Structures are given as structure tokens and as C-alpha cells.
Amino acid sequence: MTRLAPIMQGFFTDHLITQRHASPHTVASYRDTLTLLLGYAHQRSGKLPAQLDLGDLDAALVGSFLTHLEEERGNSAATRNARLAAIRSLFRYASLRAPEHAALISRVLQIQPKRTATTIVSYLTRGELDALLAAPDRATWHGRRDHALLVFAAQTGLRVSELTGLTIGDVHLGTGPHAYCRGKGRKDRATPLTPHTVKVLTAWLAEQRARTAGPLFATRAGAPLSRDAVEHLVARHAATATRTCPTLEAKKITPHTLRHTAAMNLLHAGVDITVIALWLGHEDPATTRIYLHADMALKEQAIARTAPPGTPAGRYQPPDRLLAFLSQL
């Protein structure tokens, strides 16, 4: 076995899982990236993955692998950058374990991510959200569960991984109602609940009298909903809502759309952008600025304060007090 294999094993077991406490999603993403890289290196060199050395993964091979992802696998620039981030993380770890490869590692770490286009986030208007929330058939058990999930997601803005990880014990509906979750980066936060959300969750939990623990939103058998299941039910109810709200047809609605909708509702209510960042669990408030770019109402307010072309310059003069008095009679 070459030096690469123990370095890669230590990267996952010692660095990612033990030291960084990386989430299962992060570990799976890094695993898939390195599996693809080893498979590509095997095709290029003919060596089995266990026979590959760190020297076989030089900057030229990593660069051609990234090109392969885009041109042959059809991955986007964002996916390419995510794969590169995983590779660079491995090589930073390897720099302390294989100093004899310092020059090779340095060249790999110098590979830069591609610049990507910044798109305006998609969110639901009040009417579109009402149509989506009305789509589930609440005469059925699944419809009541889906309605409660949609109401909760649209108000709290939790990520889909946070939604599926919630348990009944994480929700407190008494005084100061809130939902507790452990989010991205293993950061804990509590999100307040509105009276409407409390009412919907109270009715949903009353129906689950036999369950005092377990997932908040579960399958009929009591197992947690998967990420794919949540994405499927959101897409299904969005298709139903399109019949009554045609504007939904032009939007691709995912669980993350509900997160964007919660953020935009807070922004429209006048909540400061730094508070929204805390609400959403953003590590950097700069990430939350995407909602400022998407808010057309704020831009319209800004342009309303500007003077139209051809307006003569001048200073404001208050009206004459006597004339003002007479005009009010």
C-alpha cells in the first residue's frame, strides 16, 4: 500500500470525522469526489487506486480531472468548484503528512476555482405561498403532514437537512414557542414560531399521540423523511398549486425556495439583514446580501427617491406661514 492510501484514510477518520466533526453530508460529498478522482487516475495511469501514490495526483492530472467533470460529465462550474474544494482540503491535510511532496502539493493548492454567474434567488410571493400551502389534501394523513411541513419550512427557513433531522422534542409550543436545531457546521440555533405555525403544529402533534419522541415529520411507519422525499412532496404540491396560481409554473420550486421565501418575508417586514443572517444560520452576513439583490421593492423605493431628468436644481424653501394658514381654512 502506498503513502496515498493511509493519508486518505486519516483524512476521513482523523481529520474530517474526529477533529472537524464534519456532517455526514460533507463526508459523503468528499468521499464521492475522491472516488471520482481515483477512478479517473486509474483510467489515465492504469494503476489500481490502492497502488496510486501522492505523486500520481499532480496538478496536471487534477486539472484534467476538473476539465473532465465539466466537458464529459456535464457538471456545472459550481459542482467543479465543490469537487476542487474537497481535493484541496485533502492536499492541505497531506502537506503535514508528506512534506517530501511539498512542491507537488503547493501546485495543486494553487489551482483556482472558476468564477460562476450569480443568479437572483427565486422566492414565492404571498399569493404563491398561499396557493402552495393550500395544495395538500388535509383530509388525508399525508396531506396534513405535508401541510404542517410546508407551513413550518416557509416560516422558519430551515434547510432541508435541518427539517428532516428535527424531532418532536426539538419543538416547544408553550410560552416562547420555538424550534431548536443543529444546523450546518454543527451550529445550534433556536427559531421562534409564529402563532399560525404553533396552531398548525399543535394540531399535527395532537394527531401523533402515540408518538412522544422520534421525527417531527415522519413516514407512516415512523421513520424520518429523506431529503429526496421532501423534495418530491414539495414538487408534487407545487404542481397542484399551479392550477390555481399560474405564476408558479415559471418557477422551479424546491425546499430551498421556501428558505428563500422565509428570508424575503423577514426582509419585507423591515428586519435587519444581520438578524436575518442569524435567523438562517449564515456564518457570514455577506451571504445574506443575495436577498437585497432579489428584493425589487427595495430597489423601487430607492429609485423613487431620485430626481427625474430635467428637474431644476434648487434648495427646499418652507412655505410662508401666513399662506400656509390661509390654505388650511
Side-chain angles (χ1 to χ4, degrees), residues 68-151:
H68 160 77
L69 291 178
E70 289 189 280
E71 296 183 355
E72 298 183 34
R73 291 181 62 88
N75 292 158
S76 65
T79 300
R80 180 251 191 211
N81 291 343
R83 301 297 189 197
L84 174 59
I87 295 170
R88 292 173 67 177
S89 182
L90 169 66
F91 274 76
R92 280 193 294 269
Y93 175 82
S95 65
L96 302 176
R97 274 77 186 170
E100 67 275 14
H101 290 291
L104 178 146
I105 292 172
S106 177
R107 286 191 290 271
V108 171
L109 293 178
Q110 289 174 6
I111 300 175
Q112 297 299 311
K114 273 193 171 182
R115 297 189 65 177
T116 58
T118 302
T119 58
I120 297 178
V121 297
S122 176
Y123 64 97
L124 303 182
T125 64
R126 183 72 257 177
E128 292 170 343
L129 180 59
D130 289 343
L132 178 63
L133 297 182
D137 181 8
R138 278 175 271 177
T140 66
W141 183 89
H142 286 97
R144 292 190 292 274
R145 179 203 64 187
D146 293 356
H147 175 72
L149 186 150
L150 293 174
V151 169

Side-chain angles (χ1 to χ4, degrees), residues 38-271:
L38 293 178
Y40 181 78
H42 168 61
Q43 293 177 355
R44 292 286 299 270
S45 66
K47 296 181 180 180
L48 293 174
Q51 297 172 339
L52 291 169
D53 201 352
L54 198 60
D56 295 315
L57 305 182
D58 57 11
L61 184 131
V62 173
S64 62
F65 168 69
L66 297 174
T67 302
H68 160 77
L69 291 178
E70 289 189 280
E71 296 183 355
E72 298 183 34
R73 291 181 62 88
N75 292 158
S76 65
T79 300
R80 180 251 191 211
N81 291 343
R83 301 297 189 197
L84 174 59
I87 295 170
R88 292 173 67 177
S89 182
L90 169 66
F91 274 76
R92 280 193 294 269
Y93 175 82
S95 65
L96 302 176
R97 274 77 186 170
E100 67 275 14
H101 290 291
L104 178 146
I105 292 172
S106 177
R107 286 191 290 271
V108 171
L109 293 178
Q110 289 174 6
I111 300 175
Q112 297 299 311
K114 273 193 171 182
R115 297 189 65 177
T116 58
T118 302
T119 58
I120 297 178
V121 297
S122 176
Y123 64 97
L124 303 182
T125 64
R126 183 72 257 177
E128 292 170 343
L129 180 59
D130 289 343
L132 178 63
L133 297 182
D137 181 8
R138 278 175 271 177
T140 66
W141 183 89
H142 286 97
R144 292 190 292 274
R145 179 203 64 187
D146 293 356
H147 175 72
L149 186 150
L150 293 174
V151 169
F152 182 86
Q155 189 255 292
T156 60
L158 265 62
R159 300 177 179 91
V160 64
S161 58
E162 296 165 350
L163 285 172
T164 56
L166 283 175
T167 64
I168 293 177
D170 291 331
V171 176
H172 304 273
L173 302 180
T175 304
H178 65 277
Y180 165 88
C181 78
R182 172 158 291 179
K184 189 176 181 180
R186 296 188 180 273
K187 294 188 289 290
D188 297 340
R189 72 182 191 277
T191 305
L193 302 177
T194 64
H196 176 67
T197 303
V198 170
K199 180 180 178 181
V200 172
L201 287 181
T202 300
W204 169 244
L205 292 178
E207 191 171 348
Q208 315 304 309
R209 286 187 296 269
R211 295 172 53 227
T212 57
L216 178 62
F217 303 110
T219 63
R220 196 63 151 154
L225 287 173
S226 67
R227 184 188 190 94
D228 290 342
V230 176
E231 291 177 349
H232 176 71
L233 72 87
V234 169
R236 177 162 48 85
H237 294 309
T240 302
T242 302
R243 302 171 191 165
T244 57
C245 186
T247 57
L248 289 172
E249 192 172 358
K251 297 183 177 181
K252 181 181 179 181
I253 302 174
T254 67
H256 218 69
T257 307
L258 298 178
R259 178 172 168 83
H260 292 326
T261 301
M264 293 303 294
N265 286 338
L266 291 171
L267 187 62
H268 290 154
V271 179

